[in-house]
Amino acid sequence: MAERTAVIGVGQTYHKAKREDVSIAGLVREAAVRALDDAGMDWSDIDAVVIGKAPDMFEGVVMPELYLAPALGAVGKPMIRVHTAGSVGGSTALVAAHLVSSGTHERVLTVAFEKQSDSDAMWALSIPQPFSAPLLAGAGGYFAPIIRAYMRRSGAPDHIGILVAVKDRKQALKNPYAHLHIEDISFEMVRDSIMLWDPIRYLETCPSSDGAAAMVLANERVADGSSSSHPPAWIHGMSMRSEPTMFAGRDQVNPLASKECAADVYRQAGITEPRREIDVAEVYVPFSWYEPMWLESLGFAAEGEGWKLTDSGATALDGGDIPWNCSGGVLSSNPIGASGMLRFLEVAMQVRGQAGEHQVETVRRALGHAYGGGSQFFAMWVLGADKP
Amino acid sequence: MARRSVRPVAVVSFAQSDMMRREEHRNDVEVLQPVIQDVFGKIGLTKDDMGFVCSGSCDYLVGAPFSFVQALDAVGAWPPMRESHVEMDGAFALYEAWTQLQEDDIDTALVFSFGRSSMSEIGRVLTLQLDPYYMAPLWPDPVALAALQAQALIDAGKYTEADFAAVAARSRRDARTNPHAQVTGDHSPEELLGDDYVVAPLRRHALPPITDGATAVILAAGDRATELCERPAWITGMDHRIETHALGARDLTTSPSTRSAAEGAGIGRGDDGAVEVDVAELHAPFAHQELILRDALGLGGTAVVNPSGGALAANGIMVAGLVRMGEAASRIMDGSARTALAHATSGPCLQQNLVCALAAEPAGDGRG
Amino acid sequence: MSDEPVTMLATPIRIEYEFTAGLAQSRYLKGIAQGRFLGQRCPKCGKVYVPPRGSCPTDGVPTTDEVVLGNTGIVTTYCVVNVPFQGQSIEIPYICAQILLDGANIAFMGLIQEIPTEEIRMGMRVEAVWVDEKDLGPTMASVKYFRPSGEPDAAYETFSEYL
């Protein structure tokens, strides 16, 4: 990394099933204005805008950066739109970060959003393509068989997914921005909810949300002089990796791209024992079982043992030594294009001490993670309270 | 906006498919795959040599969400690679790759883009780029909007229909030397003016073709570039800017974002105030837009504009901008030019513009 | 006219697309029209892909060698779909499985019928059920579904690498 880069402002919307009170422009501005305010900046302070979102079928607007340029103060500036499927929020943050670390710009506003209530999300995700069987029933239909394979491989007991669903939704109650606030969430409630794609139950599934996330990224000179009331969160490592979605011999449960992306980001950040050296993580878990799976893939637990870590309560904000998804995670808010950035943004909040009720006490290093498509695209970053 | 010196990065290879009206038999992966093999083959590299891969494409163009994911099959994303994608013309993917190459952890990047406009009603797809509350529901198609811009040019007394015909005649004549071009022709401007209007004041010759195609470029940094290529086309600067969206809020007869992007790319002007480059490849899908861009860039009289035929000869949506960069780079790589400029556009009536400055020598102090 | 703010604007959008199966998939669909599964082998890695997609995803080269595959295979993994969604044509609940045809190196998604959803197992051997010969065509609808073949289940070790 050539230039030190930091997050100096964050903002997000109140995520809801349907944001009928704002247009698409209004939605993204809500997050962007909060991020600028947090950074103590104005639109004119921004050098470039990087926006990311998932397929345009979610809103029916092709290449919405064109329509959104004036709403995001981008007129007369460089503007790029990233699209890497579900991980896009994360990769957008990384593209923006590289604009700073490469010395191209000093202050970059990055925004990710989805206003998926405008269209039909299930349709947008699996538009029937001719020549293939019309079997796919949304993302769950794709991931459920993979989860079953994990359960078989690891011998995990059936209740593990339920624990994750309960934990993340309980934690969401401490996040005012989260979409789902299920006050009386309980093990029994999740267990008894309808099976959607066996083994995934309704309450083990992410919601469909409208929402946006935004961050201001800056170089060292700007970060050091920042008037934000919170300190900068410094990027210690960032990485993205892709592999083919389907190929003979692919490990769908623990893809190599995931392991290599994690290894790269840890190497940059000088981390050798993630469980010990990382204080909090926001990891893209759209279906509950992905927590134990990613615990293993990201090196927090040995292969086959991720479920034990979940089972022990180690990943809970309350009483856990490696809290995951204190914000409630993707299971509590899922505006698809923004979800990856929310993971990256929430760990920035943790490092900067601005996570309010879901703040982990002492955060020196945090991991943000996003994945997308058919688990073939991974984006991760490690943030630290100290300069790298 | 302080900027440290630019790491010398060059285009070292360029490949494109034969641009055509309709690809009858092959799907996107099969069209792209030989282009990828070609761009590697020219310099003896493989996917394993790439530090970063970035592509540009549009889901709505091909009627499938995540269409770029399967496109990676044409490259072979194994072992796992550092890869990203923009839902924009490949020219912007090249910009992203160039910025990432400014850091020295990677030395090479593959950039590609693809799109088959024949699959859909391309006018409708592009109309969906417009403000979904106020503009898109009126369904103004891209030709109608371009015609508004052309008419504004005429009304401002800047150019005439004869000027548009001259651009079209020259472009399609020059396209005859481009083996990949889709539309070539040998007509005088006077003959072209005999065509009927499609949407006044635009006649058919002033419109871009509908194109299926794919293209790829390889970038390399520093010594790696000179190892791979006898005459690398060095990027001495690159920048892009976007204008406001509502057409009524813009002066459609000018392109201030192109001018700003050119300044940001460090394109210097000569003593007479004109920009002197040997070759300029301008992404002007409509004939009148070339005139607007020339003015915005301040191109001097010696520049050869669109020797490839430009977007009037082949206009792959998501592809044509990256092809401009490859074509401009090719003139340097083949030794016929010392300096070149490539331009790419996005959005209705030149809303967003990218300018890339290329040269046979890397910049001295890092600026053009 | 009410004082309520306008919150929604419905704009119907209709765009028609013409898809090309592509060379590899066309050959595959022609095989389907003849009632058989044709895989394609990658000349570099030697893996047999079904359905073929035009390029080997790991090597980036065309998969050219045709391999005739049988009608039987195993369920490597599965899920039971119980969620209704727009455009769905099959009655819920239904079993959606990854099916590894004998001779292929990659599983594909398929519908399993003629078995209660609680009885589906990883490793179960299945066979394809085609439409009547007169109804065969170059479309995936020629394969109605897969059903248990009655053979003993495959041992986990024989297919665990395909998960």
Side-chain angles (χ1 to χ4, degrees):
Chain A
M1 217 178 313
E3 296 261 357
R4 287 195 172 120
T5 305
V7 179
I8 60 168
V10 306
Q12 60 182 298
T13 57
Y14 290 96
H15 313 296
K16 278 174 78 164
K18 239 165 133 67
R19 285 296 305 266
E20 285 182 331
D21 58 319
V22 287
S23 63
I24 297 172
L27 185 73
V28 301
R29 277 179 71 91
E30 188 175 299
V33 165
R34 288 195 176 121
L36 286 172
D37 286 348
D38 185 28
M41 282 184 167
D42 186 57
W43 296 105
S44 56
D45 295 316
I46 298 296
D47 301 325
V49 179
V50 180
I51 188 167
K53 63 179 295 298
D56 291 342
M57 286 87 177
F58 280 117
E59 295 81 18
V61 182
V62 173
M63 300 166 69
E65 72 279 8
L66 298 166
Y67 145 67
L68 289 171
L72 287 173
V75 173
K77 298 177 187 173
M79 188 177 195
I80 286 211
R81 181 276 178 88
V82 179
H83 174 17
T84 59
S87 62
V88 65
S91 52
T92 301
L94 296 186
V95 170
H98 275 293
L99 286 179
V100 177
S101 61
S102 63
T104 310
H105 298 295
E106 292 199 292
R107 294 156 295 202
V108 177
L109 171 68
T110 185
V111 182
F113 78 97
E114 213 69 64
K115 195 164 194 282
Q116 55 202 64
S117 71
D118 278 359
S119 172
D120 180 319
M122 275 275 244
W123 165 80
L125 271 178
S126 27
I127 293 176
Q129 298 285 300
F131 317 121
S132 28
L135 276 175
L136 215 45
Y142 179 84
F143 291 115
I146 299 173
I147 289 172
R148 177 163 301 287
Y150 170 74
M151 291 164 78
R152 178 69 166 83
R153 264 202 221 175
S154 63
D158 287 348
H159 71 272
I160 300 297
I162 301 171
L163 295 179
V164 175
V166 176
K167 168 183 74 83
D168 284 3
R169 269 55 175 283
K170 273 209 171 110
Q171 288 168 186
L173 294 172
K174 300 183 175 182
N175 176 5
Y177 294 106
H179 171 182
L180 295 181
H181 286 138
I182 309 173
E183 295 287 342
D184 51 351
I185 187 81
S186 71
F187 184 93
E188 292 71 29
M189 184 193 282
V190 177
R191 181 198 60 202
D192 297 341
S193 66
I194 186 174
M195 245 336 156
L196 290 183
W197 311 272
D198 198 315
I200 303 175
R201 295 174 180 80
Y202 173 67
L203 281 177
E204 293 178 85
T205 304
C206 50
S208 173
S209 320
D210 287 351
M215 293 190 284
V216 178
L217 302 176
N219 65 13
E220 186 173 8
R221 187 190 72 78
V222 174
D224 283 344
S226 168
S227 61
S228 172
S229 46
H230 304 286
W234 297 95
I235 298 177
H236 287 214
M238 49 181 177
S239 185
M240 45 177 126
R241 289 289 184 275
S242 306
E243 66 180 45
T245 315
M246 282 191 292
F247 65 89
R250 181 180 190 221
D251 185 340
Q252 308 244 30
V253 171
N254 191 354
L256 185 60
S258 168
K259 293 193 282 199
E260 292 197 345
C261 190
D264 185 22
V265 84
Y266 293 154
R267 181 187 51 79
Q268 291 175 40
I271 290 172
T272 50
E273 286 172 70
R275 175 156 179 205
R276 218 178 37 81
E277 299 176 65
I278 291 172
D279 299 310
V280 63
E282 284 275 336
V283 178
Y284 203 109
V285 173
F287 301 99
S288 56
W289 278 92
Y290 269 86
E291 181 180 285
M293 290 161 73
W294 292 148
L295 280 166
E296 294 174 25
S297 190
L298 297 174
F300 286 78
E303 191 142 352
E305 314 259 294
W307 65 269
K308 295 179 187 173
L309 205 53
T310 300
D311 208 18
S312 72
T315 57
L317 171 60
D318 253 334
D321 63 292
I322 180 52
W324 271 32
N325 295 328
C326 305
S327 65
V330 180
L331 280 172
S332 303
S333 312
N334 188 25
I336 290 183
S339 285
M341 188 173 287
L342 286 169
R343 307 283 69 73
F344 280 44
L345 175 156
E346 284 283 346
V347 293
M349 289 171 66
Q350 292 282 352
V351 168
R352 301 173 81 216
Q354 60 183 148
E357 276 189 70
H358 64 277
Q359 176 75 49
V360 171
E361 212 178 294
T362 323
V363 178
R364 298 231 60 82
R365 304 249 257 182
L367 169 72
H369 161 283
Y371 85 100
S375 295
Q376 94 291 353
F377 191 105
F378 298 87
M380 303 177 196
W381 76 4
V382 171
L383 299 182
D386 300 320
K387 292 190 186 180
Chain B
M1 201 192 306
R3 204 200 182 308
R4 33 191 270 300
S5 70
V6 173
R7 183 185 187 207
V9 171
V11 174
V12 293
S13 185
F14 165 58
Q16 58 182 309
S17 61
D18 287 339
M19 300 291 161
M20 54 181 73
R21 174 62 181 84
R22 180 186 305 275
E23 171 56 58
E24 298 279 2
H25 303 294
R26 298 179 296 167
N27 62 22
D28 281 315
V29 173
E30 291 164 343
V31 170
L32 185 55
Q33 203 256 340
V35 173
I36 301 289
Q37 288 198 320
D38 191 15
V39 83
F40 281 132
K42 284 179 172 170
I43 51 175
L45 291 186
T46 70
K47 60 181 169 75
D48 300 321
D49 300 309
M50 294 297 108
F52 179 57
V53 176
C54 197
S55 63
S57 69
C58 173
D59 283 344
Y60 252 103
L61 186 66
V62 298
F66 318 114
S67 53
F68 54 93
V69 172
Q70 194 166 344
L72 269 189
D73 284 359
V75 179
W78 190 258
M81 50 172 56
R82 176 168 151 184
E83 179 259 338
S84 192
H85 168 263
V86 291
E87 191 85 346
M88 304 172 85
D89 190 296
F92 293 88
L94 189 148
Y95 178 83
E96 182 181 330
W98 176 71
T99 58
Q100 298 214 13
L101 280 165
Q102 294 301 307
E103 298 168 61
D104 54 17
D105 54 341
I106 51 170
D107 289 325
T108 52
L110 168 71
V111 180
F112 65 91
S113 63
F114 63 93
R116 286 182 298 130
S117 300
S118 68
M119 286 182 68
S120 69
E121 305 160 71
I122 185 65
R124 283 202 185 183
V125 171
L126 293 176
T127 301
L128 291 180
Q129 284 180 340
L130 303 174
D131 180 316
Y133 307 98
Y134 298 126
M135 284 169 71
L138 300 174
W139 290 97
D141 71 272
V143 177
L145 296 180
L148 277 176
Q149 184 181 44
Q151 189 61 48
L153 265 186
I154 292 172
D155 293 346
K158 288 187 175 183
Y159 291 105
T160 65
E161 290 179 37
D163 294 322
F164 308 161
V167 169
R170 190 206 79 236
S171 299
R172 296 207 171 104
R173 275 206 186 111
D174 289 346
R176 290 174 303 166
T177 61
N178 176 357
H180 301 284
Q182 178 185 343
V183 179
T184 63
D186 191 10
H187 302 288
S188 69
E190 294 69 38
E191 286 175 271
L192 294 180
L193 284 169
D195 289 344
D196 290 335
Y197 288 122
V198 174
V199 181
L202 296 177
R203 300 171 205 267
R204 198 180 148 83
H205 61 256
L207 271 50
I210 293 173
T211 305
D212 289 355
T215 188
V217 165
I218 293 180
L219 300 179
D223 292 341
R224 195 82 178 97
T226 42
E227 281 165 31
L228 291 167
C229 178
E230 204 187 319
R231 276 182 295 255
W234 297 98
I235 297 172
T236 56
M238 184 164 25
D239 200 357
H240 58 93
R241 303 296 169 91
I242 192 166
E243 295 177 32
T244 197
H245 183 63
L247 295 178
R250 293 172 50 202
D251 174 359
L252 298 180
T253 67
T254 63
S255 187
S257 54
T258 300
R259 180 180 298 264
S260 305
E263 281 165 12
I267 294 186
R269 288 165 179 261
D271 294 330
D272 59 352
V275 160
E276 297 301 338
V277 286
D278 296 334
V279 171
E281 282 278 341
L282 308 179
H283 183 192
F286 295 88
H288 65 280
Q289 292 174 336
E290 181 187 298
L291 302 165
I292 296 172
L293 293 170
R294 277 180 183 258
D295 286 348
L297 290 165
L299 278 183
T302 57
V304 174
V305 177
N306 289 341
S308 65
L312 289 171
N315 188 35
I317 304 298
M318 304 295 114
V319 171
L322 184 56
V323 169
R324 303 279 72 69
M325 300 175 88
E327 290 283 0
S330 293
R331 303 289 81 76
I332 294 182
M333 290 193 286
D334 70 18
S336 58
R338 305 279 315 156
T339 55
L341 180 162
H343 157 271
T345 194
S346 181
C349 299
L350 306 177
Q351 184 189 346
Q352 181 176 33
N353 294 282
L354 178 150
V355 176
C356 178
L358 298 153
E361 303 292 332
D365 66 342
R367 299 285 308 226
Chain C
M1 191 127 87
S2 99
D3 289 328
E4 293 301 314
V6 173
T7 58
M8 292 301 282
L9 163 65
T11 55
I13 298 171
R14 182 192 171 88
I15 302 184
E16 293 198 5
Y17 289 84
E18 249 182 49
F19 288 84
T20 307
L23 297 168
Q25 202 166 35
S26 289
R27 293 203 298 280
Y28 173 70
L29 288 172
K30 286 190 173 131
I32 294 286
Q34 293 165 350
R36 43 189 201 148
F37 294 108
L38 289 181
Q40 284 180 15
R41 189 194 315 275
C42 169
K44 273 188 107 168
C45 65
K47 302 286 188 188
V48 176
Y49 279 87
V50 62
R53 296 178 347 232
S55 190
C56 173
T58 50
D59 295 299
V61 298
T63 51
T64 44
D65 312 327
E66 227 139 64
V67 177
V68 180
L69 300 166
N71 257 344
T72 53
I74 50 177
V75 168
T76 55
T77 180
Y78 65 89
C79 73
V80 179
V81 180
N82 200 32
V83 53
F85 68 99
Q86 190 175 76
Q88 192 177 47
S89 39
I90 312 154
E91 200 184 302
I92 56 172
Y94 60 87
I95 301 165
C96 198
Q98 288 289 317
I99 297 162
L100 182 68
L101 283 181
D102 298 327
N105 290 112
I106 189 166
F108 59 79
M109 200 163 277
L111 174 66
I112 309 284
Q113 303 263 273
E114 295 190 29
I115 179 174
T117 55
E118 322 77 71
E119 289 179 26
I120 185 70
R121 312 178 286 283
M122 289 163 78
M124 178 177 285
R125 288 206 45 90
V126 293
E127 63 189 7
V129 176
W130 296 79
V131 300
D132 292 339
E133 207 176 314
K134 61 170 171 56
D135 296 325
L136 281 174
T139 158
M140 287 314 296
S142 297
V143 181
K144 289 205 291 195
Y145 51 77
F146 285 75
R147 68 177 170 213
S149 68
E151 299 159 285
D153 286 3
Y156 178 68
E157 305 74 52
T158 62
F159 65 88
S160 59
E161 70 176 278
Y162 291 102
L163 292 174

